[in-house]
């Protein structure tokens, strides 16, 4: 589950997430993407949902109203380990099952980086991937680690052709393409702050608060207003020119 305190700050009060939380998200993103990319040159990373929005809003950091990391971990070839191992070595797996085998070194390394995972769902029968809910403990925070959530989808045999462009997102190389851009802007709008799959707008309910998220939505009729203001400026300029 998402951290209720941070979740409520954004959803109920319309405030930016704390700096230490955004740092933990950035560290989690960097560690997971680096782990996946380092396993094979055929692996690549695609940011999705709120994390994907950071590509177009602020590539240096997670957006200030994001509460988790959303990422697609793809490989163009065979996976280096069976994705079913995530289920075997999840936090809720039966200890008796784990005693029968050794974890793959890839997952051992993932745990060493500070990750754990709980829910694991296989959607490969629907031509999708494996959905893994991960948690990351950011030990850089003091006095106790900050724990953040990540939603990752792992899928093999995915060609990189639909993602021909690459960018640096919070220090990590990611791939993206036109379809992803259209999907994100269609879902979240060009400048509005939206949360959840249902697209709720984030609105600040503490006006004047130093962490209040500014309203950058494009209001209805903004085209007409800009046109009217431009015409007034032209009229004023012309009148001044005639007077001189």
């Amino acid at each position: 589950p998402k951290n209720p305190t941070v979740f409520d700050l954004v959803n109920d009060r319309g405030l930016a997430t704390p700096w230490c939380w955004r740092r933990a998200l950035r560290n989690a993103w960097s560690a997971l993407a680096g782990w996946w990319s380092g396993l094979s040159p055929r692996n690549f990373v695609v940011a999705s949902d709120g994390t994907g929005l950071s590509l177009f809003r602020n590539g240096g950091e997670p957006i200030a109203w994001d509460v988790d990391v959303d990422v697609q971990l793809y490989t163009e070839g065979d996976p280096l380990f069976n994705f079913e191992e995530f289920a075997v070595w999840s936090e809720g797996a039966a200890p008796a099952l784990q005693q029968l085998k050794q974890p793959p070194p890839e997952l051992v390394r993932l745990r060493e980086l500070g990750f754990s995972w709980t829910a694991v769902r296989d959607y490969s029968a629907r031509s999708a991937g494996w959905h893994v809910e991960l948690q990351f403990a950011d030990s850089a925070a003091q006095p106790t680690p900050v724990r953040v959530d990540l939603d990752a989808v792992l899928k093999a045999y995915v060609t990189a052709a639909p993602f021909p462009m690459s960018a640096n997102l919070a220090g990590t190389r990611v791939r993206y393409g036109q379809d992803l851009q259209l999907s994100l802007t269609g879902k979240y709008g060009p400048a509005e702050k939206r949360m959840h799959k249902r697209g709720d707008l984030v609105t600040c309910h503490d006006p004047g608060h130093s962490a209040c998220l500014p309203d950058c939505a494009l209001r209805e009729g903004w085209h007409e207003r800009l046109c009217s203001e431009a015409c007034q400026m032209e009229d004023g300029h012309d009148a001044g020119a005639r007077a001189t």
Side-chain angles (χ1 to χ4, degrees):
K2 304 294 186 292
N3 183 293
T5 302
V6 175
F7 192 78
D8 291 345
L9 277 178
V10 176
N11 287 267
D12 295 341
R13 300 179 62 188
L15 302 180
T17 55
W19 176 84
C20 60
W21 183 266
R22 295 198 299 273
R23 181 182 64 176
L25 285 181
R26 190 184 197 279
N27 290 342
W29 158 258
S30 178
L32 183 64
W35 166 79
W36 180 253
S37 299
L39 293 180
S40 168
R42 305 195 71 182
N43 290 3
F44 62 98
V45 177
V46 175
S48 58
D49 290 299
T51 306
L53 281 180
S54 298
L55 273 173
F56 315 117
R57 294 182 180 271
N58 175 21
E61 300 291 338
I63 53 179
W65 63 97
D66 206 359
V67 295
D68 63 357
V69 170
D70 300 290
V71 61
Q72 315 283 324
L73 304 177
Y74 293 146
T75 182
E76 293 190 285
D78 297 325
L80 294 183
F81 64 96
N82 194 324
F83 293 154
E84 292 180 357
E85 297 286 356
F86 271 105
V88 175
W89 297 100
S90 67
E91 296 299 311
L97 181 61
Q98 296 178 347
Q99 292 174 0
L100 298 176
K101 56 193 308 186
Q102 294 293 321
E106 295 84 0
L107 295 190
V108 172
R109 176 56 181 158
L110 191 60
R111 287 197 186 278
E112 291 174 348
L113 290 172
F115 289 95
S116 59
W117 51 93
T118 50
V120 181
R121 300 178 179 87
D122 177 15
Y123 295 111
S124 56
R126 306 179 188 176
S127 299
W130 283 77
H131 176 242
V132 182
E133 294 182 11
L134 297 119
Q135 294 77 42
F136 175 76
D138 184 17
S139 57
Q142 297 296 329
T144 58
V146 174
R147 301 181 183 276
V148 296
D149 300 294
L150 305 91
D151 287 327
V153 174
L154 296 90
K155 189 176 181 182
Y157 315 112
V158 178
T159 177
F163 311 97
M165 296 175 282
S166 64
N168 186 305
L169 176 57
T172 298
R173 182 175 180 269
V174 297
R175 300 187 70 96
Y176 67 100
Q178 183 181 22
D179 288 345
L180 177 62
Q181 290 176 294
L182 293 174
S183 173
L184 289 173
T185 55
K187 180 176 180 179
Y188 293 100
E192 298 168 326
K193 296 179 175 64
R194 293 186 179 273
M195 293 283 292
H196 316 302
K197 291 181 173 59
R198 61 179 182 268
D200 294 343
L201 280 172
V202 177
T203 303
C204 184
H205 297 291
D206 285 356
H209 195 290
S210 60
C212 188
L213 287 168
D215 182 6
C216 61
L218 300 177
R219 301 298 185 185
E220 184 177 355
W222 68 278
H223 294 89
E224 293 81 358
R225 187 181 71 252
L226 288 180
C227 181
S228 175
E229 291 174 354
C231 292
Q232 291 176 8
M233 290 179 62
E234 290 180 2
D235 291 344
H237 181 271
D238 290 341
R242 287 192 296 269
T244 57

